[in-house]
Amino acid sequence: MTGEFVSEGSQAVFVDPNLEGCQVTFTITSESSMEVIEGNTCGYGGLNANITGTYHLQE
């Protein structure tokens, strides 16, 4: 995933110019966690996988 992210407040959005309809949204939900929502057409996680989920910073 390379390119520009558009951010506003606690949210950043990436739109892949090479994949029609591909959008990934990153939302900071606390000081140590972030929610990621990957659009259906992206495929960044690989075959039958995606990067959608909640990620926590390990202490």
Side-chain angles (χ1 to χ4, degrees), residues 1-55:
M1 179 182 311
T2 59
E4 294 185 28
F5 288 76
V6 176
S7 64
E8 184 175 316
S10 63
Q11 193 171 71
V13 177
F14 172 76
V15 177
D16 193 324
N18 300 311
L19 294 170
E20 185 175 335
C22 174
Q23 176 175 308
V24 182
T25 304
F26 302 83
T27 305
I28 296 172
T29 55
S30 73
E31 280 189 32
S32 61
S33 63
M34 174 176 61
E35 181 179 322
V36 178
I37 300 173
E38 176 185 353
N40 292 333
T41 62
C42 297
Y44 292 123
L47 185 62
N48 294 324
N50 63 48
I51 59 174
T52 296
T54 302
Y55 295 83

